[in-house]
Structures are given as C-alpha cells and as structure tokens.
Amino acid sequence: MDLENQKRVKDFAEEFGPENVIVILGASEAEASGLAAETVTAGDPTFAGPLTGVSLGLKVYHVCEPEIKDEVDPAVYDEQVGMMEMVLDVDSIIEEMKSIREQYCKY
C-alpha cells in the first residue's frame, strides 16, 4: 500500500472512527493482499509510511471474498471484477485475508 493511501486510511479512521471504516482491497496475489491488510490492521510492516507503528485494527476484505461479493450487484461485479477473478487464486487470497483478520482486526 503506497504512502498516500496509508495517509488516506489513517485520516478516515481518525475522522469517522476505526470501527466505522472497512478497507476493501483488490490486489491480484494473496501475499500483496496480506501485506496491505496487515498495514491497515497492525501497522505498516515496512516501517516506511504513515501507518508505521499505528495499529488501527480495521476491518479489511478482498473484493473477491464472499462477504463483499454478495453485497455487490452481480452485473456490476461481473463487469468490474469477473474477468480478473477467473485468473486469481481466490482461495489463497481468502485464506490470507482471514488469517490477517483473525490476528489483527479489532472490530
């Protein structure tokens, strides 16, 4: 997650309260998704951005997870994500995201 997005997430959490913020990721690999998820929950593990040492504990999901997919109009999801979902290792992404939530999410 780049430094600008880290700052946006931190600002939103401060403005609206971390219990009211959900981060939805769309990285194409489980490892990249996990790194971004860890950043918004436990703090920036690279120690380079605004979330260094900041444990927000935010709810975080990948767009391909059922919790998010089920909330989106199927036609819109298919148009925006459907093609990409066919080439992703969705099971690995879901496993990685669940692991991060179990370890670090507070809400």
Side-chain angles (χ1 to χ4, degrees):
M1 177 174 287
D2 68 31
L3 304 182
E4 187 174 319
N5 283 334
Q6 284 190 39
K7 181 171 178 2
R8 284 184 184 134
V9 168
K10 184 178 179 188
D11 290 346
F12 286 142
E14 290 171 354
E15 182 177 350
F16 300 108
E19 69 279 4
N20 297 312
V21 176
I22 296 175
V23 178
I24 301 173
L25 304 172
S28 61
E29 296 179 355
E31 186 175 312
S33 297
L35 183 61
E38 185 176 346
T39 299
V40 300
T41 55
D44 184 358
T46 67
F47 300 101
L51 292 177
T52 297
V54 179
S55 178
L56 295 175
L58 300 178
K59 292 179 191 171
V60 61
Y61 294 90
H62 192 278
V63 70
C64 292
E65 288 188 272
E67 296 89 340
I68 301 303
K69 186 176 180 178
D70 292 345
E71 295 297 320
V72 177
D73 179 292
V76 173
Y77 187 90
D78 189 49
E79 179 184 326
Q80 298 294 320
V81 183
M83 292 290 286
M84 187 63 149
E85 187 180 37
M86 288 191 282
V87 299
L88 296 177
D89 184 351
V90 175
D91 292 337
S92 293
I93 291 170
I94 290 172
E95 184 178 316
E96 180 73 14
M97 298 302 292
K98 284 183 179 180
S99 173
I100 294 295
R101 282 194 299 272
E102 288 171 0
Q103 291 178 66
Y104 302 117
C105 283
K106 298 177 186 175
Y107 307 98

